[in-house]
């Protein structure tokens, strides 16, 4: 089974301690600390306008944040305004201005995580389900901002309502003989496919491994 659609990808600038591959940011520094790797988008959401930012969750083994912020002060998370924190282990947290707003369930590879501004209200979504509404109002210019913690951490397929570059996203799903989803593949334009998720079942039909 395959689905294809066109989305507006962000263009990255101010890339520090990372490599840009298509619409993927990959931390290249051999350390595990905040403030050493990140990037910001060229495009901006104009002041007072409605808009959104989305990212496709990738691995669950490395910490990183994707967010909307009014400025790219540095590569650290504590200068970020509105952030979705994909923690190692699969926990999904929200940080605002360096302060945790708490954990809001978990994320899995392939999940769509979204930050939306309507009027002055910031809302956070996972797979189009509202998980948090911020008490902080927003009316300023905003840009996509990213912070990566560990080497090989990735941020994949960041797109927004205010981007001007369109890309084709193809998602392919493999199922076993029992109709269970076993592999989820992701492809950007004509780049090689990326395996986002893999599920392995034993002879009793029990899920024994999920990557």
């Amino acid at each position: 089974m395959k689905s294809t659609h066109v989305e507006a990808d962000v263009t990255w600038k101010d890339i520090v301690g990372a490599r840009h591959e298509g619409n993927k940011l990959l931390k290249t520094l051999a350390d595990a600390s905040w403030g050493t790797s990140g990037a910001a988008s060229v495009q901006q959401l104009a002041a007072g306008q409605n808009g959104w930012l989305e990212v496709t969750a990738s691995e669950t083994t490395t910490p990183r944040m994707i967010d909307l912020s009014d400025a790219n002060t540095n590569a650290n998370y504590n200068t970020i305004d509105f952030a979705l924190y994909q923690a190692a282990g699969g926990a999904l947290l929200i940080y605002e201005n360096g302060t945790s707003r708490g954990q809001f369930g978990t994320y899995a590879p392939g999940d769509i995580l979204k930050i939306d501004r309507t009027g002055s209200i910031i809302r956070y979504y996972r797979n189009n389900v509202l998980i948090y509404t911020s008490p902080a109002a927003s009316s300023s210019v905003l840009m996509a901002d990213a912070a990566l913690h560990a080497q090989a951490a990735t941020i994949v397929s960041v797109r927004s309502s205010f981007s001007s570059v369109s890309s084709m996203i193809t998602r392919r799903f493999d199922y076993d003989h029992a109709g269970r989803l076993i592999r989820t593949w992701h492809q950007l334009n004509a780049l090689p496919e990326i395996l986002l998720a893999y599920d392995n079942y034993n002879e009793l039909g029990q899920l024994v491994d999920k990557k």
Side-chain angles (χ1 to χ4, degrees):
M1 181 179 178
K2 182 171 72 172
S3 65
T4 302
H5 57 285
V6 176
E7 294 176 330
D9 299 333
V10 304
T11 302
W12 294 110
K13 66 174 184 175
D14 300 336
I15 300 173
V16 177
R19 184 169 68 245
H20 182 209
E21 300 175 350
N23 195 12
K24 178 174 76 173
L25 285 175
L26 171 70
K27 181 168 181 176
T28 54
L29 289 181
D31 74 336
S33 60
W34 294 110
T36 60
S37 180
S41 67
V42 173
Q43 301 93 343
Q44 294 183 337
L45 176 61
Q49 287 192 0
N50 297 341
W52 52 263
L53 174 74
E54 286 186 347
V55 63
T56 300
S58 46
E59 74 279 354
T60 59
T61 55
T62 62
R64 66 270 195 217
M65 295 196 190
I66 184 68
D67 62 275
L68 288 172
S69 194
D70 60 4
N72 181 36
T73 306
N74 53 43
N76 209 332
Y77 75 90
N78 57 14
T79 58
I80 285 171
D81 293 339
F82 306 101
L84 283 161
Y85 176 21
Q86 300 168 69
L92 181 63
L93 298 91
I94 291 173
Y95 271 67
E96 294 185 344
N97 296 305
T99 300
S100 173
R101 299 297 192 187
Q103 181 178 341
F104 297 85
T106 60
Y107 69 93
D111 282 352
I112 304 299
L113 309 176
K114 180 179 181 179
I115 308 172
D116 174 90
R117 181 172 74 184
T118 302
S120 61
I121 300 174
I122 297 290
R123 297 181 177 92
Y124 301 81
Y125 297 84
R126 179 183 52 243
N127 297 326
N128 292 320
V129 177
L130 178 67
I131 59 173
Y132 183 69
T133 299
S134 175
S138 170
S139 59
S140 66
V141 169
L142 294 173
M143 67 183 72
D145 198 356
L148 302 101
H149 180 269
Q151 185 180 23
T154 65
I155 294 178
V156 178
S157 296
V158 180
R159 50 211 174 269
S160 75
S161 62
F162 49 92
S163 300
S164 57
V165 178
S166 295
S167 296
M168 179 169 291
I169 305 296
T170 301
R171 189 72 54 83
R172 183 166 62 85
F173 307 98
D174 293 339
Y175 299 87
D176 66 9
H177 66 281
R180 295 170 301 212
L181 178 65
I182 55 174
R183 283 181 292 269
T184 300
W185 299 88
H186 178 90
Q187 185 180 33
L188 172 66
N189 296 326
L191 293 175
E193 283 187 316
I194 299 171
L195 180 61
L196 283 182
Y198 172 73
D199 295 342
N200 186 31
Y201 298 86
N202 62 21
E203 61 275 9
L204 299 177
Q206 298 168 324
L207 182 64
V208 295
D209 191 20
K210 185 178 180 69
K211 298 180 179 179

